[in-house]
Amino acid sequence: MTATETRPAPPAPPPRPPGWGSWLLGLARGFWRQLTSMRTALVLLFLLAVASIPGSVLPQSNVAVEQVQNFYRDHPTLAPWVAKVGGFDVFGSAWFAAIYLLLFTSLIGCVLPRLRDHYRAIRSRPPNVPARLDRLPHHETVADFDGDVAQVAAALRKQRWRVVVRDDTVSAEKGYLKETGNLLFHFSLIAVLVAVALGSWYGWHGNRILVAGKDSGFCNSLQQYDESKLGPRVDDKLQPFCLTLDDFKASFQTTGQPKEFRATVTVEGDGPTRTDSFSVNDPLRLDGASVYLLGHGYAPILRYTDRFGKAQTKEGPFLSEDEMQTSSGAISFPDANVDPATGLRDPNLQMGFDGLYLPTAPDQAPYLRSQFPAENNPALLLTAYRGNLGLDAGIPSSVYRLDQTQIDAGRLKQVGEAKLLKPGESWTLDDGSTVQFVGTKAYAVLSVRHDPGQGIALVASVLALTGLMGSLFGKRRRVFFRLASPSPTSSSRLLEAGGLPRTDYPGFAEEFASTVAAVREKT
C-alpha cells in the first residue's frame, strides 16, 4: 500500500433492533390513535346504549329491592349468576364503568384535536381562487360586468359570506356552523358524562313506602328508608325534613291504564310547615332534594282479637303483582295470645296472615286476579298461620311475606282454609279468635333523590340538541370570483364565478345561482 492510498473504511455496524421500550411506545401510540378515533367513539356509544338495556329489563337493587327478591324467588338458579355479573346493579358494575370511562377518554381525545383544527380554520382566510374555475362543480360567467371587486365583496358580505379580496379575485366561504355544532354536540356529551359522574359521587337516594294518614310519616334519615344508597363522597348527614302523606288520589281510564296519580303531603323542616302536592311527572322540589312518585298500592287493615280477648289493629302495604293492582302481602301479630295472668308470650302461638288483595274482585271464584285497579269491589283472600313466625331469630326477613322456611319446617302451620273477606267482615278461627278486614289505606312509593349533576345534564342535553341541529343543517361551501381585464374596445369586464360545496349539499346549485345573481344586481 502506497502512501497516497487510503485505508478502506470499516463496514457500518448493522442497525440495532428496536428494544422493548420502542415496541411498547409504538403499541401505546397505536392504541391511543385507535381509541381516539371517531369510529371507536361511536362504537363505545353504541355499546353504552346496549349495556343500559339490562338496567331497564332487570330489576335494580337501588330502585326496587323487593323486585330483586322476587326475581331470586322466581329464578333461584339464574339469579345468582345475574348478581355475579352485576345484573342487579348495572349502572354501578365494573364493566359498565369501563365502557363509560373508555367513552369519556375517547371523546376527549377525539374532540380536542378537532377543536384545535376548527379554531385554526375559522382564523384562517379563505383560500386563493383556483386557476381553472371551469373545473369546479358549479361555474358561471357574467359578460359585460361593469363593477369591480369591491362591489362583488360587498354583495357577498351582505349574504354573510366570509370574504377576502386579492387583486382582481374574491374568495368567500361560509358554513362553519356544521363543524361548530358537531363539536358542541360532542362536548355536550362529555358534559353529560361529567354530570352523571358527579351524581354518582356526590348524590344519594332513598326509597320509602308511605301509607296515607296523619300518623304515618318519615324524616330524611337513612334509618327510615326502606332502601337507600349514598355516593362515595356523601356522609350520612342528610338534609333535615319530614314528610307525611295526607292523601293519595289515583284515577284510571276505562281500560285500567293509569290516568293520574297525585299525592298530598305535609312538609316540615324545609322552611315553614306547608302542604304540597305532586304527581308522577311533577316531583316535589325541596332544598337539596327532590321527591318523586314511583307508584302506589293498597295497605289492608286487619283487627285481630286473640283467644284472651285482646284486640290489635295493624296495616301492611301489599305489593302489586299486575297492572290491575292484584296485590300480595302479609300482616303479622307476634304479640298475640299473651296470657294476661302470667304476661308470658308463647312463641308458638304467634299469628300471621298471608293475603291476596283484589281491588275489584270477580263476582265468583276463582279469586286470583283483580278486574280493575280501582276499589270497585274490594276483597281480601286471607290464609291464617299459627306458630313461630321466626322473628326472634334475629335473621332479616321480608315484611311483605311470611317466612317460608318456618312454614316448610312445620313451625308455622296453616289454620283452616283460605277465607275471602269483604271490608267489615270477620273470620272466626278454630281457637275462638277472630280477624276482621277493617278496610284499606292507600300508600305511595316515594323516591327521594339528590343529584348535583342534574342541572349540568339538563343544560348539556339542550346544548347537545342545539349542536345536533347545527351539524345537520349547516353546510360548508365556497364561492370564487375572478374579474378579467377590460378589452381595449370596451370598459366592461368578464366576471367568472365558481362554486364548491365542501359537504353533501343538494341545494347548493340554487344558492350558487342566487349568489351570482345578487352580485350581478349589485352593479
Side-chain angles (χ1 to χ4, degrees):
M1 179 179 293
T2 62
T4 58
E5 294 178 343
T6 59
R7 187 182 298 275
R16 296 178 60 184
W20 283 100
S22 300
W23 182 81
L24 290 175
L25 182 60
L27 183 64
R29 287 176 177 175
F31 175 77
W32 177 255
R33 189 180 301 110
Q34 187 67 27
L35 178 63
T36 56
S37 66
M38 182 57 67
R39 178 179 298 178
T40 302
L42 292 175
V43 171
L44 290 173
L45 187 62
F46 175 75
L47 287 178
L48 190 70
V50 173
S52 302
I53 295 177
S56 303
V57 176
L58 296 173
Q60 298 299 290
S61 58
N62 61 345
V63 177
V65 178
E66 289 301 322
Q67 293 184 17
V68 174
Q69 295 176 352
N70 292 338
F71 192 93
Y72 269 93
R73 183 192 62 199
D74 299 336
H75 309 280
T77 304
L78 178 62
W81 291 98
V82 175
K84 287 182 179 180
V85 298
F88 298 127
D89 189 16
V90 170
F91 304 107
S93 61
W95 52 270
F96 189 88
I99 300 175
Y100 177 89
L101 292 176
L102 284 175
L103 175 61
F104 186 80
T105 305
S106 178
L107 284 175
I108 292 179
C110 176
V111 171
L112 288 181
R114 290 180 58 183
L115 177 64
R116 178 194 58 200
D117 296 340
H118 184 55
Y119 175 77
R120 290 176 178 175
I122 292 177
R123 296 283 296 176
S124 64
R125 306 174 71 187
N128 294 330
V129 175
R132 297 287 300 274
L133 290 178
D134 55 343
R135 292 185 177 181
L136 296 180
H138 301 274
H139 176 258
E140 188 173 340
T141 57
V142 179
D144 299 331
F145 185 74
D146 297 330
D148 54 16
V149 291
Q151 294 174 320
V152 175
L156 293 175
R157 290 191 181 98
K158 189 175 182 181
Q159 295 186 348
R160 298 184 179 180
W161 291 82
R162 295 177 62 236
V163 179
V164 60
V165 178
R166 300 183 182 93
D167 298 330
D168 288 337
T169 63
V170 179
S171 302
E173 65 179 352
K174 65 178 177 179
Y176 282 99
L177 179 63
K178 181 179 182 63
E179 183 64 12
T180 301
N182 205 342
L183 290 172
L184 179 61
F185 174 77
H186 286 89
F187 273 108
S188 299
L189 287 183
I190 296 175
V192 169
L193 295 179
V194 171
V196 172
L198 285 176
S200 176
W201 278 79
Y202 296 95
W204 58 268
H205 78 272
N207 295 340
R208 173 65 186 256
I209 291 180
L210 199 58
V211 180
K214 295 295 183 182
D215 55 347
S216 176
F218 83 103
C219 293
N220 189 31
S221 64
L222 295 181
Q223 294 76 13
Q224 298 198 29
Y225 282 109
D226 299 328
E227 184 275 330
S228 61
K229 184 177 181 181
L230 302 181
R233 301 295 183 182
V234 181
D235 56 28
D236 57 356
K237 296 180 180 179
L238 306 180
Q239 289 82 349
F241 63 84
C242 298
L243 289 180
T244 300
L245 182 62
D246 301 326
D247 189 24
F248 183 86
K249 298 294 184 182
S251 59
F252 303 91
Q253 300 178 3
T254 55
T255 58
Q257 296 296 320
K259 186 176 181 180
E260 184 184 16
F261 296 156
R262 180 160 294 276
T264 302
V265 296
T266 298
V267 184
E268 298 176 305
D270 186 64
T273 301
R274 71 182 191 276
T275 300
D276 209 338
S277 64
F278 60 100
S279 60
V280 175
N281 296 321
D282 182 22
L284 176 64
R285 304 294 183 183
L286 303 177
D287 184 18
S290 297
V291 183
Y292 297 88
L293 182 59
L294 299 184
H296 91 293
Y298 300 101
I301 306 172
L302 296 184
R303 180 181 292 114
Y304 175 70
T305 304
D306 61 21
R307 65 178 68 182
F308 300 104
K310 181 182 177 182
Q312 302 179 53
T313 302
K314 286 190 176 182
E315 61 192 38
F318 278 29
L319 299 181
S320 174
E321 296 182 351
D322 55 27
E323 294 182 352
M324 296 302 168
Q325 290 296 320
T326 303
S327 308
S328 63
I331 299 179
S332 301
F333 294 89
D335 298 327
N337 297 311
V338 176
D339 190 345
T342 62
L344 297 178
R345 184 187 67 175
D346 188 349
N348 295 319
L349 294 179
Q350 296 174 342
M351 291 299 301
F353 296 91
D354 194 3
L356 183 69
Y357 179 65
L358 311 175
T360 302
D363 295 331
Q364 56 186 5
Y367 303 104
L368 300 177
R369 291 288 182 267
S370 175
Q371 297 179 332
F372 196 75
E375 293 182 307
N376 296 334
N377 184 28
L380 179 63
L381 184 64
L382 276 184
T383 303
Y385 290 86
R386 183 185 297 119
N388 193 328
L389 296 173
L391 301 178
D392 299 330
I395 301 176
S397 60
S398 174
V399 298
Y400 303 106
R401 59 180 56 88
L402 300 178
D403 192 343
Q404 187 63 37
T405 59
Q406 296 292 100
I407 298 176
D408 296 338
R411 292 186 289 268
L412 190 62
K413 298 180 180 179
Q414 181 175 340
V415 180
E417 299 295 331
K419 180 74 171 181
L420 184 72
L421 299 177
K422 297 295 183 67
E425 294 182 348
S426 299
W427 177 22
T428 302
L429 303 181
D430 57 353
D431 61 350
S433 61
T434 61
V435 58
Q436 180 186 14
F437 176 31
V438 179
T440 62
K441 290 183 180 180
Y443 74 79
V445 183
L446 305 182
S447 178
V448 184
R449 293 179 175 269
H450 171 67
D451 187 356
Q454 191 175 41
I456 299 176
L458 176 61
V459 174
S461 300
V462 174
L463 292 178
L465 291 176
T466 304
L468 184 62
M469 294 300 102
S471 64
L472 291 177
F473 297 107
K475 308 294 182 182
R476 190 177 176 186
R477 59 271 194 201
R478 290 172 177 170
V479 292
F480 304 97
F481 291 87
R482 177 182 291 113
L483 196 58
S485 301
S487 61
T489 59
S490 175
S491 61
S492 60
R493 307 168 70 178
L494 179 67
L495 180 65
E496 188 178 10
L500 176 64
R502 298 296 305 277
T503 58
D504 186 20
Y505 185 12
F508 180 71
E510 292 79 6
E511 184 182 11
F512 176 73
S514 64
T515 301
V516 174
V519 170
R520 183 188 294 111
E521 293 174 359
K522 186 69 177 179
T523 60

